[in-house]
Amino acid sequence: MANQGAKKRKEENIRHMAKLRHLIIACNVIYVLVRMLIFHSTFTWKHWMGLVFTSIAYFIPYQQLAAMAKPSYGDDGELLDGGFDMSTGGICGYLHDVIYITSFVQLTSIISEKFWYTYLVVRSHLLTFLLKLHLDVKDCTCTIL
C-alpha cells in the first residue's frame, strides 16, 4: 500500500501518453487523407517536407515525454517511482505545447499554407523565453520588452 501514489501516477502517465499518441496519429491520418488524397492535385514536394517536419516535431517531444513518464523499478521488480507528473509545467509543459502547436499547424495547413507562419511566432516566443532564462540565471535585473 506504500506505493499507491506511484502506481496511480504510472497509470495516469500510461493514459496520458496514449492520448498524446492518438492525437499524433489522428492528425497525421487526417493530413494524409485530406491533403494527399482529396487535394492530390495541389500536393507538392513542399507538402512532403511539411509532413516530414511535423513528424519530427512530434517525434522528439513525444520521446522526451515518454522518457520522463517511464516508471522506475527496484532490483526486486518493485515499483519505486511512477514517473514524472505530466500535469506540471516547466519543460514538460513546453513539450506538450510543441505537440499541440504542431497538430494545429499540421491540420490548418490543409486549409492554407500561411498557417506555417505560426512556427515563426513560436520560435520568437522561445527565443524570448531563453533570453529571459539566461538573464535570470546571470542574476541580471534587465527586462525584455
Side-chain angles (χ1 to χ4, degrees):
M1 295 303 274
N3 287 340
Q4 285 299 99
K7 289 177 185 176
K8 184 177 178 183
R9 179 163 299 147
K10 176 186 168 192
E11 294 302 319
E12 289 173 358
N13 286 347
I14 289 171
R15 281 193 305 274
H16 184 76
M17 294 307 293
K19 286 180 186 178
L20 284 178
R21 187 172 46 255
H22 292 143
L23 171 73
I24 292 169
I25 291 170
C27 289
N28 279 320
V29 166
I30 291 170
Y31 184 81
V32 167
L33 287 177
V34 174
R35 192 72 184 137
M36 293 174 97
L37 297 179
I38 296 174
F39 298 128
H40 62 86
S41 62
T42 60
F43 193 79
T44 64
W45 66 271
K46 294 177 189 177
H47 297 102
W48 277 111
M49 295 305 295
L51 182 61
V52 169
F53 179 74
T54 55
S55 296
I56 292 169
Y58 283 133
F59 178 75
I60 293 171
Y62 182 82
Q63 290 296 39
Q64 289 176 338
L65 286 171
M68 292 168 67
K70 187 176 179 181
S72 59
Y73 296 94
D75 293 333
D76 58 351
E78 183 180 348
L79 180 64
L80 298 177
D81 183 32
F84 191 77
D85 186 6
M86 293 287 131
S87 63
T88 60
I91 192 70
C92 184
Y94 287 109
L95 293 172
H96 282 90
D97 289 347
V98 169
I99 291 174
Y100 297 141
I101 290 169
T102 300
S103 64
F104 171 79
V105 169
Q106 187 179 31
L107 291 178
T108 55
S109 69
I110 295 171
I111 301 167
S112 171
E113 293 179 14
K114 298 200 186 293
F115 281 104
W116 285 100
Y117 292 120
T118 305
Y119 275 131
L120 295 177
V121 174
V122 173
R123 285 186 183 164
S124 65
H125 176 69
L126 180 63
L127 181 64
T128 305
F129 170 75
L130 291 175
L131 190 56
K132 282 182 182 180
L133 184 65
H134 178 68
L135 291 176
D136 286 343
V137 168
K138 292 199 174 239
D139 202 24
C140 181
T141 58
C142 301
T143 58
I144 298 173
L145 299 175

